[in-house]
Short mmCIF file of all heavy atoms in Angstrom, two decimals:
data_model
loop_
_atom_site.label_atom_id
_atom_site.label_comp_id
_atom_site.label_asym_id
_atom_site.label_seq_id
_atom_site.Cartn_x
_atom_site.Cartn_y
_atom_site.Cartn_z
N MET A 190 -39.59 144.70 4.82
CA MET A 190 -39.89 145.29 6.11
C MET A 190 -41.27 145.94 6.07
O MET A 190 -41.68 146.50 5.06
CB MET A 190 -38.83 146.35 6.40
CG MET A 190 -38.69 146.68 7.86
SD MET A 190 -37.19 147.65 8.11
CE MET A 190 -36.01 146.33 8.35
N LYS A 191 -41.98 145.80 7.16
CA LYS A 191 -43.33 146.31 7.19
C LYS A 191 -43.48 147.47 8.17
O LYS A 191 -42.94 147.42 9.27
CB LYS A 191 -44.27 145.17 7.60
CG LYS A 191 -45.53 145.13 6.80
CD LYS A 191 -46.35 143.92 7.18
CE LYS A 191 -47.63 143.87 6.38
NZ LYS A 191 -48.58 142.89 6.86
N CYS A 192 -44.21 148.46 7.77
CA CYS A 192 -44.42 149.63 8.63
C CYS A 192 -45.33 149.25 9.81
O CYS A 192 -46.39 148.66 9.62
CB CYS A 192 -45.05 150.74 7.81
SG CYS A 192 -45.43 152.21 8.77
N THR A 193 -44.88 149.57 11.01
CA THR A 193 -45.65 149.24 12.21
C THR A 193 -47.00 149.94 12.23
O THR A 193 -47.98 149.41 12.71
CB THR A 193 -44.85 149.65 13.48
OG1 THR A 193 -43.55 149.06 13.40
CG2 THR A 193 -45.53 149.16 14.75
N PHE A 194 -47.03 151.11 11.67
CA PHE A 194 -48.27 151.88 11.73
C PHE A 194 -49.24 151.58 10.58
O PHE A 194 -50.34 151.11 10.81
CB PHE A 194 -47.97 153.37 11.79
CG PHE A 194 -49.19 154.19 12.11
CD1 PHE A 194 -49.67 154.24 13.41
CD2 PHE A 194 -49.85 154.88 11.12
CE1 PHE A 194 -50.82 154.97 13.71
CE2 PHE A 194 -50.99 155.62 11.42
CZ PHE A 194 -51.47 155.66 12.72
N CYS A 195 -48.82 151.81 9.36
CA CYS A 195 -49.76 151.66 8.24
C CYS A 195 -49.76 150.27 7.61
O CYS A 195 -50.66 149.91 6.88
CB CYS A 195 -49.50 152.72 7.17
SG CYS A 195 -48.03 152.47 6.19
N GLY A 196 -48.73 149.46 7.89
CA GLY A 196 -48.69 148.10 7.37
C GLY A 196 -48.12 147.98 5.98
O GLY A 196 -48.10 146.91 5.39
N LYS A 197 -47.64 149.08 5.43
CA LYS A 197 -47.08 149.10 4.09
C LYS A 197 -45.69 148.49 4.08
O LYS A 197 -44.90 148.70 4.99
CB LYS A 197 -47.02 150.55 3.60
CG LYS A 197 -46.97 150.69 2.11
CD LYS A 197 -47.07 152.14 1.71
CE LYS A 197 -45.70 152.74 1.48
NZ LYS A 197 -45.74 154.16 1.12
N GLU A 198 -45.41 147.72 3.02
CA GLU A 198 -44.07 147.15 2.86
C GLU A 198 -43.13 148.25 2.38
O GLU A 198 -43.50 149.06 1.53
CB GLU A 198 -44.09 146.04 1.81
CG GLU A 198 -44.81 144.78 2.26
CD GLU A 198 -43.98 143.91 3.19
OE1 GLU A 198 -42.76 144.13 3.29
OE2 GLU A 198 -44.58 143.02 3.83
N PHE A 199 -41.91 148.28 2.94
CA PHE A 199 -40.94 149.24 2.45
C PHE A 199 -39.53 148.66 2.49
O PHE A 199 -39.28 147.69 3.19
CB PHE A 199 -41.02 150.57 3.21
CG PHE A 199 -40.63 150.47 4.68
CD1 PHE A 199 -39.32 150.74 5.07
CD2 PHE A 199 -41.56 150.12 5.62
CE1 PHE A 199 -38.95 150.67 6.41
CE2 PHE A 199 -41.20 150.02 6.98
CZ PHE A 199 -39.90 150.29 7.37
N THR A 200 -38.65 149.23 1.70
CA THR A 200 -37.28 148.74 1.60
C THR A 200 -36.48 149.14 2.83
O THR A 200 -36.48 150.31 3.20
CB THR A 200 -36.61 149.34 0.35
OG1 THR A 200 -37.51 149.21 -0.74
CG2 THR A 200 -35.32 148.63 0.01
N PRO A 201 -35.82 148.16 3.47
CA PRO A 201 -34.99 148.52 4.64
C PRO A 201 -33.98 149.60 4.26
O PRO A 201 -33.37 149.54 3.20
CB PRO A 201 -34.29 147.21 4.98
CG PRO A 201 -35.18 146.15 4.45
CD PRO A 201 -35.80 146.73 3.20
N GLY A 202 -33.84 150.59 5.10
CA GLY A 202 -32.91 151.67 4.81
C GLY A 202 -33.62 152.92 4.36
O GLY A 202 -33.10 154.01 4.46
N THR A 203 -34.85 152.76 3.89
CA THR A 203 -35.59 153.93 3.43
C THR A 203 -36.51 154.48 4.52
O THR A 203 -36.88 155.63 4.49
CB THR A 203 -36.46 153.62 2.18
OG1 THR A 203 -37.42 152.63 2.54
CG2 THR A 203 -35.62 153.11 1.04
N GLY A 204 -36.87 153.62 5.45
CA GLY A 204 -37.80 154.05 6.50
C GLY A 204 -37.09 154.50 7.75
O GLY A 204 -35.91 154.84 7.74
N LYS A 205 -37.82 154.49 8.83
CA LYS A 205 -37.27 154.93 10.10
C LYS A 205 -37.44 153.85 11.15
O LYS A 205 -38.43 153.14 11.15
CB LYS A 205 -38.01 156.17 10.57
CG LYS A 205 -37.77 157.38 9.72
CD LYS A 205 -38.47 158.56 10.34
CE LYS A 205 -37.93 159.86 9.78
NZ LYS A 205 -38.27 160.99 10.62
N MET A 206 -36.46 153.77 12.05
CA MET A 206 -36.57 152.82 13.14
C MET A 206 -36.70 153.61 14.43
O MET A 206 -36.02 154.61 14.62
CB MET A 206 -35.32 151.95 13.20
CG MET A 206 -35.49 150.73 14.09
SD MET A 206 -34.00 149.73 14.12
CE MET A 206 -33.06 150.59 15.35
N TYR A 207 -37.59 153.17 15.29
CA TYR A 207 -37.82 153.88 16.54
C TYR A 207 -37.81 152.88 17.68
O TYR A 207 -38.50 151.86 17.62
CB TYR A 207 -39.16 154.58 16.47
CG TYR A 207 -39.48 155.41 17.70
CD1 TYR A 207 -39.11 156.75 17.78
CD2 TYR A 207 -40.16 154.85 18.78
CE1 TYR A 207 -39.39 157.51 18.91
CE2 TYR A 207 -40.45 155.59 19.92
CZ TYR A 207 -40.06 156.93 19.98
OH TYR A 207 -40.35 157.67 21.08
N ILE A 208 -36.99 153.13 18.70
CA ILE A 208 -36.94 152.23 19.84
C ILE A 208 -37.68 152.86 21.01
O ILE A 208 -37.32 153.94 21.47
CB ILE A 208 -35.49 151.87 20.22
CG1 ILE A 208 -34.79 151.23 19.01
CG2 ILE A 208 -35.49 150.89 21.40
CD1 ILE A 208 -33.29 151.16 19.12
N LYS A 209 -38.73 152.20 21.42
CA LYS A 209 -39.54 152.71 22.51
C LYS A 209 -38.86 152.51 23.85
O LYS A 209 -37.91 151.75 23.98
CB LYS A 209 -40.91 151.99 22.52
CG LYS A 209 -41.85 152.57 21.51
CD LYS A 209 -43.25 151.98 21.47
CE LYS A 209 -43.82 151.43 22.72
NZ LYS A 209 -45.22 151.03 22.61
N SER A 210 -39.38 153.17 24.87
CA SER A 210 -38.79 153.08 26.21
C SER A 210 -38.87 151.67 26.78
O SER A 210 -38.08 151.29 27.64
CB SER A 210 -39.47 154.06 27.15
OG SER A 210 -40.87 153.98 27.03
N ASP A 211 -39.84 150.87 26.29
CA ASP A 211 -39.93 149.49 26.76
C ASP A 211 -39.13 148.54 25.87
O ASP A 211 -39.35 147.34 25.88
CB ASP A 211 -41.38 149.04 26.89
CG ASP A 211 -42.14 149.08 25.56
OD1 ASP A 211 -41.52 149.46 24.55
OD2 ASP A 211 -43.32 148.74 25.55
N ALA A 212 -38.19 149.09 25.09
CA ALA A 212 -37.28 148.34 24.22
C ALA A 212 -37.94 147.68 23.02
O ALA A 212 -37.33 146.90 22.32
CB ALA A 212 -36.48 147.31 25.01
N LYS A 213 -39.18 148.01 22.77
CA LYS A 213 -39.85 147.50 21.58
C LYS A 213 -39.34 148.30 20.38
O LYS A 213 -39.18 149.52 20.47
CB LYS A 213 -41.37 147.72 21.70
CG LYS A 213 -42.11 146.47 22.10
CD LYS A 213 -43.60 146.70 21.88
CE LYS A 213 -44.39 145.49 22.29
NZ LYS A 213 -45.84 145.73 22.15
N ILE A 214 -39.11 147.61 19.27
CA ILE A 214 -38.63 148.32 18.09
C ILE A 214 -39.77 148.49 17.10
O ILE A 214 -40.47 147.54 16.76
CB ILE A 214 -37.45 147.58 17.43
CG1 ILE A 214 -36.30 147.44 18.44
CG2 ILE A 214 -36.98 148.33 16.18
CD1 ILE A 214 -35.18 146.53 17.96
N LEU A 215 -39.97 149.72 16.67
CA LEU A 215 -41.02 150.02 15.71
C LEU A 215 -40.38 150.48 14.41
O LEU A 215 -39.36 151.14 14.42
CB LEU A 215 -41.92 151.14 16.25
CG LEU A 215 -42.54 150.94 17.63
CD1 LEU A 215 -43.26 152.20 18.06
CD2 LEU A 215 -43.49 149.76 17.67
N TYR A 216 -41.00 150.10 13.31
CA TYR A 216 -40.50 150.51 12.00
C TYR A 216 -41.55 151.35 11.30
O TYR A 216 -42.73 151.00 11.30
CB TYR A 216 -40.19 149.29 11.14
CG TYR A 216 -39.09 148.42 11.72
CD1 TYR A 216 -39.40 147.27 12.42
CD2 TYR A 216 -37.76 148.79 11.57
CE1 TYR A 216 -38.39 146.47 12.96
CE2 TYR A 216 -36.75 148.01 12.11
CZ TYR A 216 -37.07 146.85 12.80
OH TYR A 216 -36.09 146.08 13.34
N PHE A 217 -41.10 152.44 10.71
CA PHE A 217 -42.03 153.31 10.00
C PHE A 217 -41.55 153.55 8.58
O PHE A 217 -40.37 153.76 8.35
CB PHE A 217 -42.17 154.65 10.73
CG PHE A 217 -42.70 154.50 12.13
CD1 PHE A 217 -41.87 154.66 13.23
CD2 PHE A 217 -44.03 154.18 12.35
CE1 PHE A 217 -42.35 154.51 14.53
CE2 PHE A 217 -44.53 154.02 13.64
CZ PHE A 217 -43.69 154.19 14.73
N CYS A 218 -42.50 153.53 7.65
CA CYS A 218 -42.14 153.75 6.24
C CYS A 218 -41.88 155.22 5.98
O CYS A 218 -41.20 155.59 5.05
CB CYS A 218 -43.25 153.23 5.32
SG CYS A 218 -44.81 154.10 5.47
N SER A 219 -42.46 156.09 6.81
CA SER A 219 -42.29 157.52 6.60
C SER A 219 -42.44 158.29 7.91
O SER A 219 -42.91 157.75 8.91
CB SER A 219 -43.34 158.02 5.62
OG SER A 219 -44.62 157.92 6.21
N GLY A 220 -42.06 159.56 7.85
CA GLY A 220 -42.18 160.41 9.02
C GLY A 220 -43.64 160.63 9.39
O GLY A 220 -43.97 160.89 10.54
N LYS A 221 -44.50 160.49 8.40
CA LYS A 221 -45.92 160.65 8.62
C LYS A 221 -46.43 159.58 9.59
O LYS A 221 -47.15 159.87 10.54
CB LYS A 221 -46.64 160.52 7.28
CG LYS A 221 -48.14 160.72 7.35
CD LYS A 221 -48.72 160.39 5.98
CE LYS A 221 -50.24 160.34 6.01
NZ LYS A 221 -50.77 159.79 4.75
N CYS A 222 -46.01 158.34 9.35
CA CYS A 222 -46.44 157.24 10.21
C CYS A 222 -45.83 157.37 11.60
O CYS A 222 -46.50 157.13 12.60
CB CYS A 222 -46.03 155.91 9.58
SG CYS A 222 -46.97 155.53 8.11
N GLU A 223 -44.59 157.78 11.65
CA GLU A 223 -43.91 157.96 12.94
C GLU A 223 -44.63 159.03 13.76
O GLU A 223 -44.92 158.83 14.93
CB GLU A 223 -42.45 158.38 12.69
CG GLU A 223 -41.66 158.50 13.98
CD GLU A 223 -40.29 159.12 13.76
OE1 GLU A 223 -40.03 159.68 12.68
OE2 GLU A 223 -39.47 159.03 14.68
N LYS A 224 -44.96 160.11 13.13
CA LYS A 224 -45.63 161.21 13.80
C LYS A 224 -47.00 160.78 14.34
O LYS A 224 -47.37 161.09 15.47
CB LYS A 224 -45.80 162.36 12.79
CG LYS A 224 -46.12 163.68 13.46
CD LYS A 224 -46.23 164.77 12.41
CE LYS A 224 -47.23 165.81 12.85
NZ LYS A 224 -47.63 166.68 11.74
N ASN A 225 -47.73 160.06 13.53
CA ASN A 225 -49.06 159.62 13.94
C ASN A 225 -49.01 158.69 15.14
O ASN A 225 -49.83 158.78 16.04
CB ASN A 225 -49.77 158.92 12.78
CG ASN A 225 -50.51 159.90 11.91
OD1 ASN A 225 -51.65 160.22 12.18
ND2 ASN A 225 -49.85 160.41 10.89
N MET A 226 -48.04 157.79 15.14
CA MET A 226 -47.98 156.81 16.22
C MET A 226 -47.31 157.37 17.48
O MET A 226 -47.83 157.22 18.58
CB MET A 226 -47.20 155.58 15.76
CG MET A 226 -47.32 154.41 16.72
SD MET A 226 -47.61 152.91 15.81
CE MET A 226 -47.69 151.74 17.13
N ILE A 227 -46.19 158.07 17.33
CA ILE A 227 -45.44 158.56 18.48
C ILE A 227 -46.00 159.87 19.04
O ILE A 227 -46.31 159.97 20.21
CB ILE A 227 -43.94 158.76 18.12
CG1 ILE A 227 -43.36 157.49 17.48
CG2 ILE A 227 -43.14 159.21 19.34
CD1 ILE A 227 -43.37 156.24 18.34
N LYS A 228 -46.14 160.85 18.17
CA LYS A 228 -46.57 162.16 18.65
C LYS A 228 -48.07 162.27 18.89
O LYS A 228 -48.53 162.86 19.84
CB LYS A 228 -46.13 163.25 17.66
CG LYS A 228 -44.64 163.48 17.71
CD LYS A 228 -44.27 164.73 16.94
CE LYS A 228 -42.77 164.93 16.94
NZ LYS A 228 -42.35 165.87 15.90
N LEU A 229 -48.84 161.68 17.97
CA LEU A 229 -50.29 161.82 18.08
C LEU A 229 -50.95 160.64 18.79
O LEU A 229 -52.15 160.65 19.04
CB LEU A 229 -50.90 162.03 16.69
CG LEU A 229 -50.29 163.16 15.86
CD1 LEU A 229 -50.87 163.17 14.45
CD2 LEU A 229 -50.54 164.51 16.52
N SER A 230 -50.15 159.59 19.06
CA SER A 230 -50.64 158.39 19.75
C SER A 230 -51.90 157.81 19.11
O SER A 230 -52.82 157.39 19.79
CB SER A 230 -50.92 158.67 21.23
OG SER A 230 -49.82 159.26 21.82
N ARG A 231 -51.90 157.79 17.79
CA ARG A 231 -53.06 157.25 17.10
C ARG A 231 -52.96 155.74 17.01
O ARG A 231 -51.89 155.17 16.97
CB ARG A 231 -53.14 157.82 15.68
CG ARG A 231 -53.60 159.25 15.69
CD ARG A 231 -54.12 159.63 14.31
NE ARG A 231 -54.56 161.02 14.33
CZ ARG A 231 -54.34 161.88 13.35
NH1 ARG A 231 -53.69 161.50 12.27
NH2 ARG A 231 -54.77 163.10 13.43
N LYS A 232 -54.10 155.10 16.99
CA LYS A 232 -54.14 153.65 16.86
C LYS A 232 -54.33 153.29 15.38
O LYS A 232 -55.24 153.81 14.75
CB LYS A 232 -55.31 153.07 17.65
CG LYS A 232 -55.28 153.39 19.15
CD LYS A 232 -54.35 152.44 19.89
CE LYS A 232 -54.26 152.79 21.36
NZ LYS A 232 -53.46 154.01 21.61
N PRO A 233 -53.44 152.40 14.86
CA PRO A 233 -53.56 152.03 13.44
C PRO A 233 -54.98 151.57 13.09
O PRO A 233 -55.51 151.86 12.04
CB PRO A 233 -52.57 150.88 13.29
CG PRO A 233 -51.56 151.12 14.34
CD PRO A 233 -52.30 151.74 15.50
N ARG A 234 -55.59 150.87 14.00
CA ARG A 234 -56.92 150.33 13.81
C ARG A 234 -57.99 151.42 13.60
O ARG A 234 -58.99 151.22 12.94
CB ARG A 234 -57.27 149.49 15.04
CG ARG A 234 -58.40 148.52 14.88
CD ARG A 234 -58.47 147.63 16.08
NE ARG A 234 -57.45 146.58 16.02
CZ ARG A 234 -57.75 145.30 15.74
NH1 ARG A 234 -58.98 144.93 15.57
NH2 ARG A 234 -56.79 144.41 15.68
N LEU A 235 -57.72 152.57 14.19
CA LEU A 235 -58.70 153.65 14.12
C LEU A 235 -58.30 154.74 13.12
O LEU A 235 -58.94 155.76 13.01
CB LEU A 235 -58.88 154.28 15.51
CG LEU A 235 -59.34 153.32 16.63
CD1 LEU A 235 -59.28 154.04 17.97
CD2 LEU A 235 -60.74 152.81 16.37
N THR A 236 -57.20 154.50 12.43
CA THR A 236 -56.75 155.48 11.46
C THR A 236 -57.06 155.01 10.04
O THR A 236 -56.63 153.93 9.63
CB THR A 236 -55.24 155.73 11.64
OG1 THR A 236 -55.00 156.06 13.01
CG2 THR A 236 -54.77 156.87 10.77
N ARG A 237 -57.82 155.79 9.35
CA ARG A 237 -58.37 155.46 8.04
C ARG A 237 -57.42 154.86 7.01
O ARG A 237 -57.79 153.93 6.30
CB ARG A 237 -58.96 156.72 7.39
CG ARG A 237 -60.42 156.90 7.69
CD ARG A 237 -60.87 158.30 7.29
NE ARG A 237 -62.28 158.46 7.64
CZ ARG A 237 -63.28 158.20 6.81
NH1 ARG A 237 -63.03 157.80 5.58
NH2 ARG A 237 -64.52 158.34 7.19
N TRP A 238 -56.24 155.42 6.87
CA TRP A 238 -55.39 155.03 5.76
C TRP A 238 -54.43 153.88 6.06
O TRP A 238 -53.48 153.64 5.31
CB TRP A 238 -54.64 156.25 5.21
CG TRP A 238 -54.06 157.12 6.30
CD1 TRP A 238 -54.69 158.18 6.90
CD2 TRP A 238 -52.79 157.02 6.93
NE1 TRP A 238 -53.86 158.71 7.86
CE2 TRP A 238 -52.70 158.03 7.90
CE3 TRP A 238 -51.70 156.14 6.76
CZ2 TRP A 238 -51.57 158.20 8.69
CZ3 TRP A 238 -50.58 156.30 7.56
CH2 TRP A 238 -50.53 157.33 8.51
N THR A 239 -54.62 153.13 7.12
CA THR A 239 -53.72 152.01 7.43
C THR A 239 -54.30 150.67 6.99
O THR A 239 -55.50 150.53 6.80
CB THR A 239 -53.44 151.92 8.94
OG1 THR A 239 -54.65 151.58 9.62
CG2 THR A 239 -52.90 153.22 9.50
N GLU A 240 -53.41 149.70 6.84
CA GLU A 240 -53.82 148.36 6.45
C GLU A 240 -54.65 147.72 7.56
O GLU A 240 -55.61 147.00 7.32
CB GLU A 240 -52.57 147.51 6.18
CG GLU A 240 -52.88 146.20 5.51
CD GLU A 240 -51.61 145.41 5.25
OE1 GLU A 240 -51.10 144.82 6.21
OE2 GLU A 240 -51.14 145.41 4.11
N GLU A 241 -54.26 148.01 8.78
CA GLU A 241 -54.94 147.48 9.96
C GLU A 241 -56.42 147.89 9.95
O GLU A 241 -57.30 147.11 10.26
CB GLU A 241 -54.25 148.04 11.22
CG GLU A 241 -54.75 147.50 12.52
CD GLU A 241 -54.19 146.12 12.85
OE1 GLU A 241 -53.12 145.76 12.31
OE2 GLU A 241 -54.81 145.42 13.64
N HIS A 242 -56.66 149.12 9.57
CA HIS A 242 -58.03 149.63 9.51
C HIS A 242 -58.82 148.94 8.43
O HIS A 242 -59.98 148.58 8.62
CB HIS A 242 -57.97 151.15 9.24
CG HIS A 242 -59.32 151.79 9.26
ND1 HIS A 242 -60.09 151.91 8.12
CD2 HIS A 242 -60.03 152.33 10.27
CE1 HIS A 242 -61.24 152.50 8.46
NE2 HIS A 242 -61.23 152.77 9.75
N ARG A 243 -58.20 148.72 7.28
CA ARG A 243 -58.88 148.05 6.16
C ARG A 243 -59.24 146.62 6.53
O ARG A 243 -60.33 146.16 6.24
CB ARG A 243 -57.99 148.07 4.92
CG ARG A 243 -58.38 149.21 3.98
CD ARG A 243 -57.44 149.28 2.80
NE ARG A 243 -56.27 150.11 3.11
CZ ARG A 243 -55.03 149.82 2.72
NH1 ARG A 243 -54.80 148.75 2.01
NH2 ARG A 243 -54.04 150.61 3.04
N LYS A 244 -58.29 145.92 7.18
CA LYS A 244 -58.52 144.52 7.58
C LYS A 244 -59.67 144.47 8.57
O LYS A 244 -60.53 143.61 8.50
CB LYS A 244 -57.26 143.98 8.28
CG LYS A 244 -56.34 143.24 7.35
CD LYS A 244 -55.35 142.46 8.19
CE LYS A 244 -53.92 142.79 7.83
NZ LYS A 244 -52.97 142.52 8.89
N ASN A 245 -59.67 145.38 9.49
CA ASN A 245 -60.67 145.43 10.55
C ASN A 245 -62.07 145.68 9.97
O ASN A 245 -63.06 145.16 10.46
CB ASN A 245 -60.29 146.56 11.51
CG ASN A 245 -60.90 146.36 12.88
OD1 ASN A 245 -60.97 145.24 13.36
ND2 ASN A 245 -61.35 147.42 13.48
N LYS A 246 -62.10 146.44 8.93
CA LYS A 246 -63.36 146.80 8.27
C LYS A 246 -64.02 145.60 7.60
O LYS A 246 -65.23 145.47 7.58
CB LYS A 246 -63.06 147.87 7.23
CG LYS A 246 -64.10 148.98 7.20
CD LYS A 246 -63.66 150.02 6.21
CE LYS A 246 -64.74 151.05 5.99
NZ LYS A 246 -64.35 152.00 4.93
N LYS A 247 -63.16 144.73 7.03
CA LYS A 247 -63.67 143.57 6.29
C LYS A 247 -64.32 142.54 7.19
O LYS A 247 -65.24 141.86 6.79
CB LYS A 247 -62.51 142.90 5.53
CG LYS A 247 -62.20 143.59 4.22
CD LYS A 247 -61.06 142.87 3.53
CE LYS A 247 -60.44 143.73 2.45
NZ LYS A 247 -59.13 143.20 2.04
N GLN A 248 -63.82 142.41 8.40
CA GLN A 248 -64.30 141.36 9.29
C GLN A 248 -65.76 141.55 9.73
O GLN A 248 -66.21 142.67 9.87
CB GLN A 248 -63.41 141.31 10.54
CG GLN A 248 -62.09 140.64 10.24
CD GLN A 248 -61.05 140.89 11.33
OE1 GLN A 248 -61.33 141.48 12.37
NE2 GLN A 248 -59.84 140.42 11.08
ZN1 LIG B 427 -46.31 153.59 7.18
#
């Protein structure tokens, strides 16, 4: 299972599942990722420590 926010692989059952109001299901490896995406509305692409940011940087 992959974290929706940081892109890190994690074992199902250890992370968190979040169902958005539009019925989209998001998976988070930790409360840190959940907080950043849900509460702080941060974009993975613009957040330094995510895989999305690293990929974007290489291009
Ligand atoms: Zn994560």
Side-chain angles (χ1 to χ4, degrees):
M190 202 168 271
K191 222 175 180 190
C192 178
T193 307
F194 191 76
C195 73
K197 202 174 96 181
E198 289 282 346
F199 66 94
T200 314
T203 62
K205 292 184 163 198
M206 194 179 83
Y207 183 90
I208 302 165
K209 279 183 29 173
S210 47
D211 61 0
K213 259 193 181 177
I214 301 170
L215 306 174
Y216 297 100
F217 299 106
C218 65
S219 67
K221 182 187 171 190
C222 290
E223 183 189 14
K224 197 178 148 195
N225 273 272
M226 191 136 180
I227 308 299
K228 287 191 182 164
L229 307 174
S230 308
R231 286 199 180 139
K232 301 278 178 287
R234 198 171 281 254
L235 302 172
T236 307
R237 268 167 183 268
W238 45 269
T239 66
E240 192 179 77
E241 185 80 22
H242 184 270
R243 262 176 273 141
K244 265 194 235 157
N245 202 39
K246 222 176 172 185
K247 278 181 197 164
Q248 284 165 5

